[in-house]
């Protein structure tokens, strides 16, 4: 890749195992582009061995590394004119910091909004006249939103204890769309459209003040001068789908796109059509919806997952695609190459098999990978996704592929709480948090043993973030089911985690559990891994970032101290980062340590 070759540290990789090559192979994100200068783009890459932001001028081909920090940088945006890059500067992954600004062509970084103190980010929108709307979150103030006009001091236009996020600015910069949870349900947002003096223009609240579990999300204002239409995601028919809201006239146009699964959308640049992303049963499709006629036309993509898609001004669509077997690539409906990372491509892996298992709350979808030609029963890793409102998909993932290369089968479960299977499935985990997900995981485990896939004496429960939380909770509540546990950046002591975590996550926990630890102590106790730590019999490996604001280190130490007090078999790895690492070698090190731990305690003779 021109402009990145000088910093590419990817080794030639002779003799290196495929699983390490997959992590080290350079990757790039789908390039974002400046609205009024679409030839100027911003993307993320691991070409130097750490994930950082890069600029790309399509008119000249020039590319430049824009950020360079020991623990990496992922959050950045271009100004509409493409003249500057804004990027979020935290401290070693703690997610607490300020926005910095840098000229697109290179130069000194400077604070983008000098009058604002550090905070957790709460959304950002930048107008064509240089005005920025900055969302912030702190433990002391809750959520605040500030308007920052060029050369002027920031002006606060919104404040609330509950979480809120800046959504989008209208094309002319006069209207601001805000997602908020003033009603107290952090899983289902309401919308408010405001002028930049803080006055309200329109409200949309499908929760009816918190009485209904129906959320809304901002998908973006129409990209046309003088157009006040706002594209909104809603759940009125039991799944996510788009509608168009005229925020001035008040009308709402239900598009009624009859596709199963969740449907999201963004505008084509001329405002005449929508780019539809359809997610169903762990795979994605792209469609074009004509607003004038209601026609829905398929945009052909291979079977797999679309991690990002954007409609370009010339009408072509660019998208980032992968499958479990094939590494990611950026494609265009024009047929032209878009952008390729430097160096060798990641080795392929094995395809996923779809499994449907009857569970206590309905049919559970699981994705299974097994070593090619291997006969069961196999040592098996249940790799549990985080979120919890997320889902595993038919997408390329170096972690599961590493386990397959070492002779393990991998099972990933889209338990209740996962997205992509309808609103009721996602919302089902409230109040019995963790325990409901583990019921579904247990049902799939029973299938894995009965089918002959998994050796019941060598089944590993593993995951990161919420998956790490479910791992520790499962080891304590289902001690006979799991031979070993691998928990990365987990919730381990739910009460301490609540008190130490970032403010937005406190709001989510109050929604999930129905209150604070002081208000519903029995629910926090029932859902906390610390409650069951003395029942854990399997060896446990825990990794944790010392700067993690989501699953803070103190609550992990509380759990580890309890394991140590009774001499339980465990190992702990602490590293200098936040909620996971953006450094490739650090990721490889952690996977290597997990595989070694499993091999030692399961007696596996893996490649």
């Amino acid at each position: 890749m021109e402009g990145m070759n000088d910093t590419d540290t990817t080794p030639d990789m002779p003799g290196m195992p495929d699983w390490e090559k997959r992590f080290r192979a350079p990757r790039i994100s789908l390039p974002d582009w400046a609205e009024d200068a679409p030839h100027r783009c911003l993307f993320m890459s691991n070409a130097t061995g750490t994930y950082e932001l890069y600029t790309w001028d399509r008119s000249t081909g020039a590319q430049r590394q824009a950020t360079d920090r020991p623990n990496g940088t992922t959050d950045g945006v271009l100004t509409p004119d493409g003249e500057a890059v804004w990027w979020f500067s935290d401290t070693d992954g703690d997610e607490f910091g300020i926005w910095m600004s840098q000229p697109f062509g290179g130069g000194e970084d400077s604070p983008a909004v000098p009058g604002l103190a550090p905070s957790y980010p709460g959304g950002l929108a930048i107008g064509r006249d240089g005005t920025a709307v900055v969302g912030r979150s702190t433990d002391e103030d809750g959520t605040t939103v500030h308007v920052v006009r060029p050369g002027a001091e920031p002006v606060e236009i919104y404040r609330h204890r509950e979480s809120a996020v800046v959504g989008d600015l209208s094309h002319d910069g006069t209207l601001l769309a805000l997602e908020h949870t003033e009603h107290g349900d952090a899983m289902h947002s309401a919308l408010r459209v405001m002028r930049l003096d803080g006055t309200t223009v329109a409200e949309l609240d499908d929760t009816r003040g918190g009485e209904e579990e129906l959320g809304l999300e901002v998908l973006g204002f129409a990209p046309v001068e003088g157009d006040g239409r706002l594209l909104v995601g809603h759940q009125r028919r039991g799944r996510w789908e788009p509608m168009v809201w005229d925020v001035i006239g008040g009308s709402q146009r239900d598009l009624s796109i009859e596709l199963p699964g969740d449907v999201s959308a963004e505008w084509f640049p001329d405002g005449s059509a929508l780019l539809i992303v359809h997610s169903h049963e762990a795979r994605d499709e792209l469609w074009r919806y004509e607003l004038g006629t209601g026609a829905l036309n398929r945009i052909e993509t291979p079977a797999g997952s679309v991690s990002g898609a954007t409609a370009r001004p010339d009408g072509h669509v660019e998208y980032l695609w992968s499958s479990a077997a094939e590494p990611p690539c950026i494609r265009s409906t024009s047929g032209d190459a878009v952008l390729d990372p430097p160096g060798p491509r990641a080795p392929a892996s094995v395809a996923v098999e779809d499994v449907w298992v009857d569970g206590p709350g309905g049919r559970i979808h699981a994705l299974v990978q097994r070593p090619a030609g291997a006969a069961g029963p196999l040592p098996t890793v249940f790799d549990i996704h985080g979120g919890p409102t997320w889902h595993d998909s038919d997408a390329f993932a170096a972690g599961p592929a590493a386990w397959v290369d070492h002779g393990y089968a991998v099972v990933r479960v889209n338990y209740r709480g996962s997205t992509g299977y309808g609103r009721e499935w996602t919302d089902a985990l409230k109040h019995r948090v963790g325990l409901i997900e583990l019921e579904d995981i247990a049902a799939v485990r029973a299938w894995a043993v009965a089918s002959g896939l998994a050796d019941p004496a060598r089944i590993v429960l593993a995951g990161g973030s919420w998956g790490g939380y479910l791992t520790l909770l499962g080891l304590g509540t289902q001690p006979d089911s799991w031979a070993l546990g691998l928990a990365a950046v987990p919730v381990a002591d739910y009460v301490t985690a609540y008190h130490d975590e970032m403010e937005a996550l406190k709001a989510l926990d109050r929604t999930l559990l129905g209150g604070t630890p002081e208000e519903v102590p029995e629910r926090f106790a029932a859902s906390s891994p610390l409650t069951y730590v003395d029942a854990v019999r399997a060896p446990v490996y825990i990794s944790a970032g010392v700067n993690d604001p989501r699953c803070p280190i103190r609550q992990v130490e509380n759990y580890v101290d309890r394991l140590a007090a009774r001499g339980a078999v465990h190992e702990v790895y602490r590293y200098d980062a936040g909620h996971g690492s953006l450094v490739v070698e650090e990721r490889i090190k952690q996977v290597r340590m997990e595989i070694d731990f499993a091999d030692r305690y399961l007696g596996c003779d893996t490649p």
Side-chain angles (χ1 to χ4, degrees):
M1 179 186 296
E2 183 181 350
M4 294 177 67
N5 293 331
D6 292 342
T7 56
D8 177 17
T9 60
T10 306
D12 200 22
M13 302 195 264
M16 184 183 295
D18 280 353
W19 77 266
E20 292 190 27
K21 291 179 183 178
R22 292 192 195 97
F23 280 96
R24 290 196 174 97
R27 294 191 183 188
I28 53 176
S29 66
L30 182 71
D32 193 12
W33 47 277
E35 294 175 68
D36 296 335
H39 62 287
R40 291 192 165 185
C41 297
L42 183 70
F43 63 92
M44 181 177 63
S45 177
N46 66 340
T48 64
T50 302
Y51 284 87
E52 295 287 0
L53 299 175
Y54 292 76
T55 62
W56 174 33
D57 188 326
R58 292 182 183 228
S59 63
T60 65
Q63 296 163 16
R64 179 182 66 82
Q65 183 177 339
T67 57
D68 184 8
R69 302 194 301 154
N71 284 299
T73 313
T74 60
D75 294 335
V77 66
L78 291 172
T79 54
D81 59 9
E83 291 296 321
V85 177
W86 283 41
W87 59 274
F88 192 75
S89 175
D90 65 354
T91 302
D92 296 329
D94 67 359
E95 301 181 46
F96 194 84
I98 63 172
W99 287 100
M100 302 290 288
S101 179
Q102 175 188 124
F104 181 86
E108 292 296 320
D109 292 305
S110 60
V113 280
L116 291 181
S119 69
Y120 297 111
L124 172 69
I126 303 175
R128 283 169 169 74
D129 65 351
T131 297
V133 181
V134 182
R136 303 171 65 253
S137 173
T138 65
D139 294 342
E140 297 77 20
D141 297 331
T143 300
T144 57
V145 174
H146 305 259
V147 172
V148 189
R149 299 187 185 277
E153 291 295 314
V155 177
E156 181 182 306
I157 63 167
Y158 179 88
R159 175 182 291 258
H160 203 279
R161 286 302 312 171
E162 298 292 346
S163 58
V165 176
V166 170
D168 194 24
L169 273 174
S170 59
H171 188 277
D172 62 8
T174 63
L175 300 176
L176 167 68
L178 183 75
E179 297 177 14
H180 72 84
T181 60
E182 294 173 6
H183 48 275
D185 181 349
M187 293 181 69
H188 303 94
S189 294
L191 304 185
R192 179 172 298 142
V193 177
M194 311 164 64
R195 301 199 186 277
L196 298 196
D197 61 3
T199 58
T200 297
V201 174
E203 303 260 14
L204 200 58
D205 182 7
D206 281 4
T207 75
R208 301 180 187 273
E211 298 301 317
E212 299 281 347
E213 293 183 336
L214 292 171
L216 298 165
E217 62 178 345
V218 173
L219 300 178
F221 278 104
V224 179
E225 183 68 30
D227 194 331
R229 293 176 299 168
L230 180 64
L231 190 61
V232 171
H234 69 90
Q235 298 179 301
R236 294 170 183 174
R237 299 198 302 168
R239 63 196 179 101
W240 283 109
E241 54 188 321
M243 69 172 183
V244 177
W245 179 28
D246 182 345
V247 298
I248 302 297
S251 65
Q252 299 173 29
R253 179 180 173 183
D254 186 357
L255 305 180
S256 298
I257 297 172
E258 300 302 331
L259 296 171
D262 286 339
V263 178
S264 188
E266 71 168 49
W267 297 93
F268 271 80
D270 64 0
S272 68
L274 301 178
L275 173 60
I276 301 296
V277 180
H278 171 226
S279 298
H280 182 53
E281 296 182 352
R283 291 169 182 85
D284 302 315
E285 298 174 341
L286 296 179
W287 300 75
R288 178 182 171 115
Y289 179 87
E290 303 292 344
L291 286 164
T293 65
L296 186 64
N297 298 307
R298 175 79 182 269
I299 299 172
E300 293 300 324
T301 60
S305 293
V306 175
S307 301
T310 185
R312 294 280 296 168
D314 61 5
H316 291 298
V317 173
E318 296 176 354
Y319 59 96
L320 180 61
W321 175 91
S322 73
S323 71
E326 294 296 325
C329 61
I330 298 174
R331 304 187 176 205
S332 171
T333 56
S334 70
D336 297 333
V338 179
L339 194 63
D340 291 318
R345 196 164 185 249
S349 185
V350 299
V352 294
E353 307 166 31
D354 294 273
V355 172
W356 291 90
V357 176
D358 289 331
R363 286 204 318 157
I364 308 159
H365 190 197
L367 303 174
V368 177
Q369 291 173 279
R370 67 183 86 202
L378 297 169
T380 300
V381 176
F382 271 66
D383 185 12
I384 309 304
H385 73 73
T389 51
W390 191 246
H391 67 273
D392 277 314
S393 60
D394 183 8
F396 196 74
W403 287 103
V404 172
D405 284 5
H406 283 79
Y408 290 78
V410 176
V411 179
R412 291 179 285 168
V413 182
N414 283 333
Y415 50 76
R416 278 172 287 173
S418 301
T419 52
Y421 302 88
R423 180 180 63 82
E424 290 186 5
W425 191 259
T426 302
D427 289 350
L429 54 76
K430 290 176 66 174
H431 297 175
R432 293 186 61 242
V433 174
L435 305 173
I436 283 176
E437 301 96 295
L438 286 167
E439 290 174 356
D440 293 348
I441 293 166
V444 177
R445 181 196 181 280
W447 165 84
V449 172
S451 69
L453 171 71
D455 178 351
R458 295 186 295 171
I459 302 182
V460 178
L461 187 57
S465 190
W466 197 264
Y469 158 63
L470 293 176
T471 294
L472 296 184
L473 189 64
L475 294 178
T477 59
Q478 302 168 347
D480 297 329
S481 296
W482 311 105
L484 186 135
L486 305 169
V489 290
V491 174
D493 168 4
Y494 216 140
V495 173
T496 302
Y498 175 86
H499 289 301
D500 289 358
E501 69 193 0
M502 56 200 303
E503 185 62 32
L505 292 183
K506 286 185 172 71
L508 177 61
D509 282 338
R510 289 194 297 271
T511 296
L512 288 172
L513 290 152
T516 67
E518 292 71 32
E519 293 166 340
V520 287
E522 71 288 350
R523 289 180 183 170
F524 274 83
S527 294
S528 179
L530 189 66
T531 302
Y532 312 97
V533 64
D534 291 337
V536 173
R537 295 200 294 272
V540 187
Y541 174 88
I542 298 173
S543 58
V546 297
N547 303 313
D548 192 343
R550 297 174 181 268
C551 299
I553 192 67
R554 184 168 71 107
Q555 52 93 30
V556 172
E557 302 290 9
N558 291 347
Y559 186 90
V560 170
D561 288 347
R562 288 281 296 275
L563 287 175
R566 63 183 184 87
V569 177
H570 70 285
E571 293 180 13
V572 184
Y573 174 63
R574 303 166 184 85
Y575 57 97
D576 187 19
H579 199 59
S581 177
L582 299 175
V583 179
V584 172
E585 291 303 318
E586 178 62 36
R587 292 185 176 186
I588 292 172
K589 177 181 179 181
Q590 292 182 29
V591 172
R592 186 183 292 117
M593 292 170 72
E594 290 179 348
I595 292 172
D596 175 69
F597 186 84
D599 286 352
R600 281 189 283 122
Y601 286 101
L602 297 183
C604 296
D605 185 18
T606 62

